[in-house]
Amino acid sequence: MSYRDLTQPVRDGMPVFPGDPKVTLDQHATVPTDGYQVHALNCGSHTGTHVDAPSHILSDGDHIDTFPAERFVLDAVLADCSGRQQRESIGPESLPASDADVVVVRTDWSDHWDDQQYLDHPYLTPAAAEFCVEQGYNVAIDTLNPDPTPTERADSTEPSGFPVHRQLLSERLLIFENLTGLAELPDRFELVAFPLKLTDSDGAPVRAVARVD
């Protein structure tokens, strides 16, 4: 059995969703001066590779700390949606039907992690979200957002707001965002993505790992 890290590293100045808190990682203490080393981390609850809880969108939704640890160990099926253009939609016909717990959507958009094009990623349609609800799928994706992210390059025909988030989270189906390294994964594997146990939080960073037989 092998383990493959699917997590974007947390670092000072890393990409965030427009308007979210910027990430700072500053040295607070050093071994030569203080006898130990500590860094000060400031970030939002949706920093880097993370999971969205229902309370991210729903005022009465469950917080991330209410989910048991086993909820974050998931039988995964891969949906290869690579080769999409920027802001191209992904419909239900591109997603497999299976008995898995989570569909992991590969777009390879993580290749654009450090440039502005990352904001103009492919996205799931509301019909794709409805398919995921019917299958009972949690959703993981290697983009900033399963919905379109607003930028000046957005098209008037794109869904507005966060319909995919709302459809999934209203059914207590979790959303994992900003994964990376999906290109070499098999069609089925185990996704392990434990979040920080942040009290009453709408989401949390995760260390996402694929466990492959």
Side-chain angles (χ1 to χ4, degrees):
M1 184 172 291
S2 63
Y3 295 84
R4 303 181 191 180
D5 197 342
L6 310 179
T7 314
Q8 295 284 7
V10 176
R11 58 174 172 78
D12 190 74
M14 66 189 291
V16 296
F17 187 85
D20 275 10
K22 294 182 178 179
V23 178
T24 59
L25 184 61
D26 299 318
Q27 195 153 46
H28 174 75
T30 66
V31 173
T33 301
D34 305 288
Y36 59 91
Q37 181 169 247
V38 171
H39 281 75
L41 172 64
N42 183 75
C43 66
S45 53
H46 297 261
T47 290
T49 306
H50 67 275
V51 59
D52 294 351
S55 60
H56 181 41
I57 291 292
L58 307 170
S59 59
D60 59 348
D62 293 323
H63 300 303
I64 199 63
D65 58 316
T66 65
F67 288 86
E70 58 267 25
R71 190 68 168 75
F72 305 98
V73 181
L74 302 162
D75 178 24
V77 62
L78 186 70
D80 187 350
C81 299
S82 57
R84 296 301 206 279
Q85 301 302 308
Q86 69 175 20
R87 310 196 74 87
E88 184 175 345
S89 63
I90 298 170
E93 69 281 355
S94 298
L95 305 179
S98 77
D99 59 353
D101 302 316
V102 60
V103 59
V104 178
V105 182
R106 172 195 167 191
T107 70
D108 291 341
W109 216 253
S110 56
D111 293 346
H112 300 292
W113 176 244
D114 280 314
D115 62 60
Q116 279 298 107
Q117 194 174 352
Y118 192 65
L119 302 180
D120 292 305
H121 53 81
Y123 60 89
L124 299 181
T125 64
E130 182 58 35
F131 174 81
C132 291
V133 170
E134 292 169 356
Q135 292 290 309
Y137 284 156
N138 301 276
V139 171
I141 194 166
D142 58 354
T143 67
L144 187 63
N145 191 355
D147 287 297
T149 295
T151 75
E152 63 275 12
R153 292 168 292 281
D155 189 279
S156 61
T157 63
E158 294 175 5
S160 60
F162 302 96
V164 172
H165 276 81
R166 190 167 298 279
Q167 286 170 270
L168 295 171
L169 296 176
S170 64
E171 300 293 333
R172 297 187 84 248
L173 295 168
L174 301 172
I175 302 172
F176 300 84
E177 298 169 337
N178 292 326
L179 274 69
T180 189
L182 304 184
E184 303 302 322
L185 292 177
D187 291 340
R188 294 294 290 261
F189 58 95
E190 188 174 60
L191 176 66
V192 182
F194 293 120
L196 295 176
K197 196 172 184 179
L198 303 180
T199 302
D200 296 338
S201 182
D202 42 75
V206 302
R207 184 70 177 264
V209 174
R211 187 155 53 191
V212 178
D213 289 333

